[in-house]
C-alpha cells in the first residue's frame, strides 16, 4: 500500500543510508501536494480515525506555583502533539501516483 513516512518517524540510522555507488538510498522528499476524490477521504476518515502521529516537542510552560515561564533545555521533549496527516489517506486508495521533479528546476 502507498504511504509517506514523516521525517520525525524516519529511523535515524536510515537518514544517511547510501547505495552501492554513494548516492542516498532514500532521496525523495514529500512536498505535500495531494489531490483526492471526496469519496476516498470519507473512506479514509473511517480507517484512520484512531491512528495518530505522536510528535514529541520541547515546549515552554508556566510554573503554576511561581507564575514564571520555564524553558526546558533543547531536546527535553516535555510535551506531545497528536496529529493526522492528509497522506494518511493514501493506504485507503486503490490507486495512487507520484510525480518527481528536479528540485533545482522547480524551486
Amino acid at each position: 500500500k502507498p504511504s509517506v513516512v514523516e521525517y520525525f518517524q524516519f529511523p535515524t540510522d536510515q537518514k544517511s543510508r547510501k547505495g552501492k555507488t554513494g548516492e542516498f538510498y532514500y532521496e525523495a522528499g514529500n512536498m505535500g501536494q495531494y489531490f483526492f476524490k471526496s469519496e476516498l477521504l470519507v473512506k479514509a476518515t473511517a480507517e484512520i480515525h484512531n491512528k495518530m502521529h505522536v510528535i514529541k516537542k520541547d515546549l515552554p510552560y508556566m510554573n503554576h506555583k511561581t507564575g514564571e515561564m520555564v524553558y526546558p533545555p533543547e531536546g527535553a521533549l516535555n510535551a506531545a502533539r497528536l496529529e493526522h496527516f492528509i497522506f494518511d489517506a493514501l493506504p485507503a486508495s486503490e490507486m495512487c501516483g507520484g510525480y518527481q521533479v528536479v528540485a533545482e528546476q522547480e524551486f
Side-chain angles (χ1 to χ4, degrees), residues 10 13-29 100:
F10 204 72
D13 64 323
Q14 295 296 311
K15 290 179 182 178
S16 58
R17 183 178 172 189
K18 301 241 176 135
K20 292 179 182 177
T21 58
E23 77 286 354
F24 281 109
Y25 190 81
Y26 299 103
E27 63 180 3
Q100 185 172 356

Side-chain angles (χ1 to χ4, degrees), residues 1 3 5 7 21 31 41 50 61 70-71 75 79-80 86-87 94 97 101 103 105:
K1 296 232 175 213
S3 62
V5 177
Y7 69 93
T21 58
M31 294 306 295
L41 295 178
N50 291 321
Y61 59 94
V70 177
Y71 296 90
I86 190 68
F87 55 73
E94 295 176 18
V101 299
Q105 294 175 358

Side-chain angles (χ1 to χ4, degrees), residues 45-73:
T45 300
E47 291 184 16
I48 67 171
H49 178 70
N50 291 321
K51 296 177 184 172
M52 301 294 283
H53 297 271
V54 178
I55 299 129
K56 296 179 180 177
K57 308 286 288 177
D58 53 351
L59 295 176
Y61 59 94
M62 185 174 58
N63 181 317
H64 72 281
K65 292 181 180 178
T66 66
E68 294 181 40
M69 289 299 294
V70 177
Y71 296 90

